[in-house]
Amino acid sequence: KALVIGIGPIGLGAIQFAQMAASDVAVMDIDQNRLEFAKKEIGIQHTIQPTKDTKNTEAKIRQTFNGELPTVVFDATGSKKSMEAAINYVAHGGKLVYIGLFQGNFTLHDPTFHKKELTLLSSRNALSTDFGQIIRAIEQNNIDTTPWITHRAHFDDMISEFDHWTRPESNVIKAMVDIND
C-alpha cells in the first residue's frame, strides 16, 4: 500500500512507479483539480484532500486503506508542513520517502518516528541504471507521460504564455515549448 503526497511532475512519476510496484495506491493533494487529474488521466481510484487537522487527514487515509495506514509514503511536495505531517501517515514499520525538496529545515516528532519504527529515505537524483529502467518502462508502455503535458506553446509564443503558466488557476502540470515548425 502506497500513498503519494503531491501531484506535480515529481509526484506523477512516483505515482506511476508505485502503481507498477504496489497493488493499492492513493494520492493526496491540497488541490482538488490535481486530484481530479490523477483520477481521469492516471487512473487513480483513491484520492485524498488533506485537512488542516492531521488526525482528520489520518482518518481519511485509514478509510481509504480499509482501516490501515500505507506501508510506504512518498512526499513529493517540497512543503515543510506536508513533510512534517507525513510521518503520521505511515504504517508501523513502514517507509517514509522524501522526494520533494524543501529549501530549509523541518522537524520530525522523534517519539512518533521511534514508536512506528520507520525507515526514513530521501531521493534527489537518479543513477544511470534508474534512467534505463525509466526508459524501458516508457518504451514498454508501463508508464505514459503524455497526460502530464497539460499546456503547450510554440517557441515564438512562449514568452506571452509563460506568465499564464505560473498562475495556479491555469492548472499547469507540465508545460512544453515546441521548437519545431
Side-chain angles (χ1 to χ4, degrees):
K1 296 177 182 170
L3 172 66
V4 178
I5 306 171
I7 309 174
I10 293 171
L12 287 169
I15 290 165
Q16 292 201 322
F17 276 100
Q19 286 175 316
M20 290 170 54
S23 61
D24 201 0
V25 179
V27 298
M28 185 164 70
D29 201 290
I30 58 173
D31 187 329
Q32 185 62 40
N33 290 325
R34 290 206 174 199
L35 293 172
E36 292 301 321
F37 175 86
K39 282 182 182 177
K40 181 181 174 191
E41 300 296 336
I42 309 299
I44 291 294
Q45 294 180 10
H46 307 295
T47 61
I48 302 161
Q49 192 168 31
T51 66
K52 292 183 181 190
D53 178 11
T54 304
K55 293 286 185 197
N56 188 5
T57 301
E58 180 184 332
K60 287 182 171 186
I61 295 167
R62 284 184 183 277
Q63 183 179 12
T64 299
F65 290 109
N66 297 317
E68 298 179 13
L69 290 173
T71 53
V72 63
V73 172
F74 298 92
D75 190 302
T77 66
S79 160
K80 177 181 179 175
K81 184 176 179 179
S82 178
M83 293 170 75
E84 289 177 341
I87 194 171
N88 298 295
Y89 310 142
V90 188
H92 181 86
K95 295 178 182 175
L96 175 56
V97 186
Y98 292 119
I99 53 177
L101 180 63
F102 172 68
Q103 297 289 334
N105 297 322
F106 67 94
T107 60
L108 294 175
H109 187 253
D110 190 47
T112 302
F113 177 71
H114 276 84
K115 177 182 166 186
K116 289 188 169 197
E117 299 183 5
L118 299 180
T119 299
L120 181 62
L121 301 166
S122 65
S123 178
R124 176 73 172 105
N125 290 309
L127 302 172
S128 59
T129 56
D130 297 324
F131 287 111
Q133 179 186 5
I134 293 166
I135 290 168
R136 280 189 304 282
I138 291 171
E139 289 174 342
Q140 295 169 357
N141 294 319
N142 293 325
I143 292 180
D144 181 10
T145 59
T146 307
W148 304 8
I149 304 167
T150 56
H151 293 68
R152 288 185 176 274
H154 187 272
F155 181 77
D156 295 335
D157 301 322
M158 193 259 316
I159 297 299
S160 62
E161 289 293 321
F162 189 80
D163 184 53
H164 171 73
W165 290 347
T166 62
R167 296 186 195 139
E169 63 270 13
S170 69
N171 294 319
V172 169
I173 301 290
K174 195 75 159 165
M176 296 292 289
V177 176
D178 293 320
I179 58 173
N180 297 326
D181 289 328

